[in-house]
Amino acid sequence: MNTPPADTSEGMDFRVIGQIVSASGLLHVFPSETEMGNFLVPLLTGVPGCQSTSVCFRKLAQPIGGVRGETCSLCARSLAQCSETSPYPCGLVEPGKVRAYPLETAGGFYGHLIVRIASQREYVRYEPFVQNLGNALAIILENRWQQAAMQAAKENLEQLVKKRTAELGKVIESSRDLIATMDSDHRYMVFNSAFHDEFQKVYGRDLKPGDSMTEALAHVPDAFAQSWKYWGCALAGEDFTICQEFGDAPLDRQWYELHFSPIRDSAGHVIGAVHVGREITERKRAEAEMRKSSLEIQHKNAELERFLYTASHDLKSPLVTVRNFLGYLEQDLAAGAAGKIAEDMDFILGAADKMRRLLDDVLELARAGCIVAPPVRVTFRQLVDEVLSTVAGRIAECGVTVTVGDGEVVLFGDRVRLAEVLQNLLDNSCKFMGDQPAPRIEIGFEPRAGETVFFVRDNGIGLDPRHQGKVFGLFEKLDPRAEGTGIGLAIVKRIVEVHGGRIWVESPGVGKGAAFFFTLPDAVEPTSQGEK
Amino acid sequence: MKGEPVVILLVEDDLAHAEIVRRNLESCRVANQLIHVSDGQAALNYVNRQGDYSDPATSPRPGVILLDLRLPKVDGLEVLQRLKSDPQFSSIPVVILTTSQTEYDMVKAYALHANSYLVKPVDFSQFSQLLETFGYYWLAWNQHPH
């Protein structure tokens, strides 16, 4: 126990040991394997008992340094084999003369440190230090390798991100929708040209990524307040769509559908928001048009239904009369009741006549519904004069005084049909004058709530307010004994409606006169409206 | 069966049709008195004994009303509605007699408590038959409170 083992520390050169040990700490400063090798080879060759040294890096084609009399080129060329045959990788060296230290860690194999020994006795003293140096080198190589792998992965990832971003950018850019994102500090981050250009057009600002909303919209407080509200909701986690109108002049207004939604990180926290805006003016217009035409169709259908109802009822009635009185006629002929025969025939003829008149009227009404003549410009006064000369006979016969109001309005429409409106209303007034000693009819127009309202007013028998809704119906007659089939006012209503207008009657009651009012929005020239 | 004739109020604007009804009921073997008015307003005035119809002697309360639907001034359905919503007249049987075969009119008439709905036949013998049956059913067989 007292005797120290022979050949241990005896005769050891501590300077050499110091060099080897400090080399372990220095290795990391060499940027490449070649430089490490160039540093190590002379150092190790200088170790007592060592004849020559080479460092054989797996990554390099050639070993550094040289073990005299041998080369490790074989080993370098067949690295897999080298690792398997360790510690005598080359198979060319004599056992005992060469030491090969694998540069190996748990994570990988990086090559060999190879030492040719001149004096075994001398070298063994230093061998543990050389082994340590090899281990230190292996660890550094592993670190380097890991770093390189990480760097490569990072670069790869960066490239992938760049590529994907570029692709995504193209997709966003190619959209006609206005797309923009905003970070949680209210800064515009990503947006496409559509958004940029619209922003410039509307707010006159050349938006750049990273611009803050507060600054970009500082000059338009209303727009800012609204934008702040919407983006704020999205940044608070709300996902929503709104429809909004933009623009000043009524003709310039545009409808947009704006969708806002939050952008979340993988943990679910909101880190920004995205906005997709789409112009839907055309869609809105089409929708409105469809609603309107759908209403029109409903209206037309209802009208058609009413017409069919009336026509079927009113046309069937005379048929019932004809068939039944033919039956009576047959009986009366058989009985030879001459007086009755004449009565039966009268009823049959009356019904046949009524049927003919109804059919004529139905045709007349159908004609009133379609404008055939091209629209012409005619003043209201001209129209009234024309109609008055047509019905002059009737007016004289009834002893009616007609007055025409002052002022002028220019009409643009089917002249014949417009005249028919006035003529029918004048006829109607004459017909229901009753026993008025001083019959009067007044024709004119007046502005009412921005519209030009025409009127024909009389001081005739008037009508019960309860029955005022019925007068415009097809074949409706308040007095079954009155002449005609009850088509006149139905035709008037039809013509007025074809010109986009409406018609109504006002009468304080029976015996108090009546006034028929109507509008012709599609026929009144806008410039002439209200001139008096 | 009672001795005194049943009063029928016929509300009909078509004079020819009124004549057909009159002739048929005349030949009917059940005693009846036909009173004809030609518009809806007159029908309401009659039952309410207003205007020309104020004298109960000449305007007796009808035992049954024959009502056309398309009428001047006040429409048949409105007359029906007013009669049936008035406790004074709601018990008077109202028989619709019309040319209209539309579903709408039938549904509406029954909804307003019409007691029967008859469509005027175009055929002569059918019309006669219809009114004969009407006469027996409503004037003879049908019972209602006094």
Side-chain angles (χ1 to χ4, degrees):
Chain A
M1 288 295 266
N2 295 345
T3 318
D7 296 333
T8 46
S9 60
E10 192 191 333
M12 274 175 78
D13 186 338
F14 289 103
R15 201 173 41 87
V16 171
I17 291 167
Q19 278 175 353
I20 297 173
V21 171
S22 54
S24 309
L26 280 174
L27 278 171
H28 70 274
V29 304
F30 300 104
S32 70
E33 277 94 334
T34 310
E35 281 162 297
M36 283 186 201
N38 288 341
F39 166 70
L40 282 173
V41 168
L43 178 86
L44 291 173
T45 309
V47 172
C50 176
Q51 189 192 65
S52 58
T53 308
S54 66
V55 187
C56 176
F57 288 110
R58 192 178 170 182
K59 259 178 70 182
L60 301 181
Q62 293 291 324
I64 296 160
V67 174
R68 206 183 61 194
E70 316 297 340
T71 71
C72 200
S73 57
L74 190 68
C75 154
R77 283 186 197 120
S78 161
L79 292 164
Q81 197 187 4
C82 181
S83 107
E84 282 157 20
T85 57
S86 174
Y88 305 111
C90 307
L92 297 174
V93 293
E94 310 103 282
K97 294 282 185 182
V98 172
R99 289 275 196 281
Y101 307 104
L103 304 174
E104 202 168 20
T105 65
F109 169 72
Y110 307 98
H112 282 108
L113 257 183
I114 299 165
V115 178
R116 187 176 185 84
I117 298 157
S119 161
Q120 179 84 9
R121 197 180 52 84
E122 273 188 287
Y123 179 71
V124 288
R125 294 184 184 132
Y126 304 99
E127 190 170 25
F129 301 103
V130 174
Q131 271 176 337
N132 275 344
L133 183 61
N135 290 341
L137 179 58
I139 287 166
I140 288 171
L141 289 171
E142 182 180 44
N143 281 343
R144 293 258 168 113
W145 180 84
Q146 279 178 347
Q147 269 173 17
M150 269 168 68
Q151 183 65 28
K154 194 176 148 206
E155 272 164 19
N156 196 17
L157 197 65
E158 270 172 5
Q159 267 186 343
L160 202 66
V161 168
K162 242 184 220 168
K163 190 168 156 255
R164 287 272 187 279
T165 309
E167 280 169 5
L168 205 60
K170 267 187 204 135
V171 171
I172 294 173
E173 193 55 37
S174 70
S175 170
R176 269 183 238 166
D177 292 347
L178 316 180
I179 302 173
T181 66
M182 180 160 288
D183 69 5
S184 45
D185 293 328
H186 291 87
R187 283 186 307 226
Y188 296 99
M189 298 311 283
V190 177
F191 48 80
N192 62 357
S193 318
F195 184 87
H196 173 271
D197 297 350
E198 191 64 22
F199 197 93
Q200 188 149 40
K201 202 175 99 191
V202 178
Y203 304 123
R205 285 285 186 281
D206 176 21
L207 199 64
K208 299 266 187 302
D211 282 358
S212 101
M213 181 168 76
T214 322
E215 282 164 32
L217 294 176
H219 62 299
V220 276
D222 289 348
F224 170 73
Q226 200 169 58
S227 243
W228 185 267
K229 188 177 85 189
Y230 292 149
W231 281 106
C233 287
L235 289 170
E238 254 183 82
D239 194 312
F240 59 99
T241 304
I242 45 164
C243 277
Q244 198 168 350
E245 237 183 329
F246 290 96
D248 298 324
L251 290 175
D252 221 30
R253 290 188 84 78
Q254 287 180 316
W255 275 97
Y256 277 90
E257 184 182 82
L258 309 175
H259 179 79
F260 287 88
S261 52
I263 301 172
R264 296 174 191 275
D265 63 11
S266 52
H269 299 118
V270 177
I271 52 166
V274 62
H275 155 280
V276 179
R278 180 172 297 179
E279 208 216 305
I280 52 161
T281 313
E282 189 56 29
R283 196 177 89 196
K284 278 272 176 192
R285 200 188 54 73
E287 279 173 5
E289 204 141 277
M290 203 185 269
R291 264 198 301 277
K292 195 177 154 222
S293 55
S294 149
L295 273 177
E296 263 168 27
I297 288 170
Q298 273 176 24
H299 185 75
K300 284 259 184 300
N301 274 344
E303 195 174 282
L304 189 65
E305 213 166 283
R306 274 201 304 279
F307 174 78
L308 286 176
Y309 168 82
T310 309
S312 67
H313 179 277
D314 288 272
L315 291 175
K316 201 174 151 197
S317 285
L319 200 61
V320 170
T321 307
V322 169
R323 287 291 298 268
N324 275 279
F325 280 97
L326 278 174
Y328 286 125
L329 189 61
E330 210 174 6
Q331 283 181 353
D332 294 338
L333 279 170
K340 284 223 162 185
I341 291 168
E343 199 191 11
D344 297 342
M345 299 258 300
D346 275 351
F347 275 115
I348 292 169
L349 287 172
D353 273 353
K354 190 178 176 196
M355 202 149 191
R356 200 202 61 227
R357 280 198 312 273
L358 287 172
L359 286 173
D360 284 349
D361 287 349
V362 167
L363 282 177
E364 181 65 23
L365 184 68
R367 271 199 293 274
C370 45
I371 302 174
V372 271
V376 290
R377 202 161 267 109
V378 59
T379 68
F380 181 63
R381 190 80 206 197
Q382 281 170 335
L383 209 61
V384 171
D385 288 345
E386 198 176 295
V387 172
L388 285 177
S389 68
T390 315
V391 295
R394 171 125 204 197
I395 287 168
E397 186 190 313
C398 301
V400 179
T401 313
V402 179
T403 55
V404 182
D406 292 334
E408 191 59 293
V409 62
V410 182
L411 297 169
F412 186 68
D414 186 330
R415 187 176 183 144
V416 178
R417 296 276 171 244
L418 292 175
E420 218 170 327
V421 171
L422 287 173
Q423 191 179 328
N424 269 301
L425 291 176
L426 278 171
D427 267 342
N428 193 67
S429 286
C430 288
K431 198 192 283 181
F432 298 105
M433 260 321 161
D435 44 13
Q436 170 64 246
R440 261 193 342 268
I441 295 176
E442 191 191 341
I443 307 170
F445 65 89
E446 60 195 25
R448 267 201 204 183
E451 275 187 309
T452 304
V453 176
F454 301 89
F455 62 84
V456 173
R457 186 180 286 131
D458 64 53
N459 59 350
I461 62 170
L463 62 156
D464 192 322
R466 286 176 298 177
H467 308 148
Q468 286 172 9
K470 283 194 91 178
V471 295
F472 300 104
L474 178 60
F475 303 138
E476 287 285 5
K477 291 164 71 180
L478 294 186
D479 178 2
R481 286 173 299 276
E483 56 177 301
T485 54
I487 191 100
L489 292 178
I491 288 176
V492 168
K493 182 168 184 260
R494 191 99 178 95
I495 298 170
V496 166
E497 281 174 356
V498 164
H499 286 88
R502 26 183 240 295
I503 184 163
W504 68 97
V505 63
E506 290 174 12
S507 171
V510 177
K512 291 173 183 162
F516 285 85
F517 294 91
F518 60 98
T519 63
L520 298 165
D522 293 353
V524 173
E525 296 259 292
T527 48
S528 73
Q529 199 156 344
E531 275 176 30
K532 269 227 151 189
Chain B
M1 276 179 242
K2 299 172 290 287
E4 59 190 76
V6 177
V7 175
I8 304 166
L9 177 64
L10 171 66
V11 191
E12 171 62 79
D13 63 325
D14 189 314
L15 299 179
H17 290 189
E19 178 66 12
I20 298 170
V21 173
R22 193 187 63 76
R23 287 189 186 190
N24 274 296
L25 289 177
E26 232 167 47
S27 57
C28 179
R29 267 162 286 176
V30 182
N32 65 74
Q33 183 191 348
L34 185 71
I35 290 158
H36 172 219
V37 293
S38 54
D39 67 66
Q41 189 61 58
L44 292 170
N45 289 349
Y46 182 92
V47 292
N48 284 300
R49 296 235 170 82
Q50 285 170 343
D52 298 342
Y53 312 104
S54 53
D55 184 359
T58 52
S59 304
R61 180 183 165 94
V64 59
I65 297 173
L66 259 176
L67 181 64
D68 192 9
L69 287 187
R70 238 179 100 78
L71 292 169
K73 293 182 187 169
V74 179
D75 197 67
L77 287 172
E78 199 187 329
V79 173
L80 177 65
Q81 191 258 323
R82 293 222 220 144
L83 287 174
K84 289 300 182 185
S85 58
D86 188 332
Q88 256 187 292
F89 311 118
S90 59
S91 66
I92 303 175
V94 178
V95 175
I96 304 296
L97 181 63
T98 176
T99 49
S100 169
Q101 265 174 296
T102 57
E103 188 73 7
Y104 172 84
D105 281 338
M106 284 188 214
V107 170
K108 198 83 203 250
Y110 279 115
L112 293 172
H113 311 294
N115 298 75
S116 179
Y117 192 103
L118 304 175
V119 176
K120 291 174 188 168
V122 173
D123 186 77
F124 171 66
S125 58
Q126 278 182 13
F127 211 141
S128 308
Q129 229 177 334
L130 176 89
L131 285 167
E132 195 181 337
T133 313
F134 164 85
Y136 278 120
Y137 186 89
W138 289 104
L139 310 181
W141 292 115
N142 190 52
Q143 299 283 317
H144 53 86
H146 208 49

